[in-house]
């Protein structure tokens, strides 16, 4: 091992020693990183245990989903119905899980209408009922309004297939929930055509 000559100052020897330690540490880290990214060798027994497993039919369920075309058709029909009455609204269509499929914001719709439409659509599909009916349920169960993502105002309608909810259509921005819900219903009716 090379020794630092005695004529170097203590400060120079500390700095040199620190630099050497840094290089050694980086080299060690590089070796560990290289080993961590190297593919592990496995035996045939381990490989077969990691193969995918096919679930039996009794352990699965098939669900129905609204297509993007049907959701877009419904949203456009709801927006058209609102525009015929000179109403500036936003329309949202969500799937069974409350995920947005499509949202159309009409010209001049207020900024609050976007989130309100999505939440009305989610509320309608979550309870498989028009949100105007759910507003009445709040009288018996006021804590329902505390459920995240919901909005218990008229303007949301569910879409069902074989009596099971598959989507929700929400409209927000008209001066009354009754109008919002009428436009949402026009969107739902467009799917049936």
């Amino acid at each position: 091992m090379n020794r630092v000559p005695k004529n170097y100052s203590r400060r120079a020897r500390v700095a040199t020693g620190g630099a050497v330690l840094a290089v050694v540490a980086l080299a060690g880290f590089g070796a560990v990183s290289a080993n961590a990214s190297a593919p592990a060798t496995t035996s045939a027994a381990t490989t077969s245990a990691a193969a995918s497993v096919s679930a039996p039919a009794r352990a699965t369920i098939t669900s129905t989903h609204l297509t993007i075309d049907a959701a877009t058709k419904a949203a456009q029909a709801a927006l058209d119905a609102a525009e015929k009455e000179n109403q500036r609204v936003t329309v949202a269509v969500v799937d069974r899980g409350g995920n947005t499929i499509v949202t159309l914001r009409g010209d001049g719709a207020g900024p609050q209408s976007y989130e309100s439409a999505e939440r009305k659509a989610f509320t309608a599909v979550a309870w498989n009922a028009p949100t105007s009916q759910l507003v009445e349920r709040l009288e018996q169960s006021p804590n329902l309004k505390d459920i995240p993502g919901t909005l218990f105002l008229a303007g949301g309608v569910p879409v069902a297939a074989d009596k099971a909810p598959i989507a929700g259509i929400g409209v927000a921005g008209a001066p009354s929930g009754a109008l919002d819900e009428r436009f949402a219903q026009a969107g739902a009716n467009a799917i049936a055509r």
Side-chain angles (χ1 to χ4, degrees):
M1 185 161 165
N2 293 339
R3 299 184 92 191
V4 178
K6 290 184 178 181
N7 60 348
Y8 283 123
S9 69
R10 179 181 169 113
R11 179 181 279 167
R13 285 186 287 192
V14 169
T16 303
V20 170
L21 285 173
V23 169
V24 170
L26 285 174
F29 177 74
V32 170
S33 294
N35 287 337
S37 64
T41 57
T42 58
S43 67
T46 307
T47 304
S48 65
S52 67
V53 176
S54 183
R58 69 181 183 279
T60 64
I61 186 169
T62 302
S63 61
T64 304
H65 301 275
L66 198 61
T67 65
I68 186 70
D69 291 338
T72 302
K73 181 179 179 180
Q76 189 62 58
L79 189 60
D80 291 346
E83 287 176 348
K84 283 181 186 174
E85 297 190 33
N86 295 318
Q87 298 301 315
R88 298 179 179 113
V89 301
T90 298
V91 181
V93 181
V94 301
D95 66 12
R96 177 65 177 118
N99 303 300
T100 303
I101 301 172
V102 65
T103 303
L104 297 179
R105 185 175 177 269
D107 295 334
Q112 76 287 356
S113 65
Y114 188 90
E115 183 179 352
S116 296
E118 286 183 329
R119 290 175 60 191
K120 288 178 182 183
F122 171 72
T123 305
V125 72
W127 275 273
N128 196 24
T131 52
S132 59
Q133 290 177 11
L134 297 173
V135 170
E136 296 168 8
R137 291 186 195 176
L138 281 179
E139 294 173 15
Q140 289 82 31
S141 303
N143 291 348
L144 285 177
K145 69 182 180 318
D146 297 333
I147 297 173
T150 58
L151 186 60
F152 291 89
L153 296 174
V157 297
V159 176
D162 295 326
K163 299 181 183 176
I166 60 166
I169 302 171
V171 176
S176 76
L179 282 173
D180 284 339
E181 197 158 303
R182 188 167 74 212
F183 304 145
Q185 189 61 54
N189 292 343
I191 295 171
R193 288 186 224 134

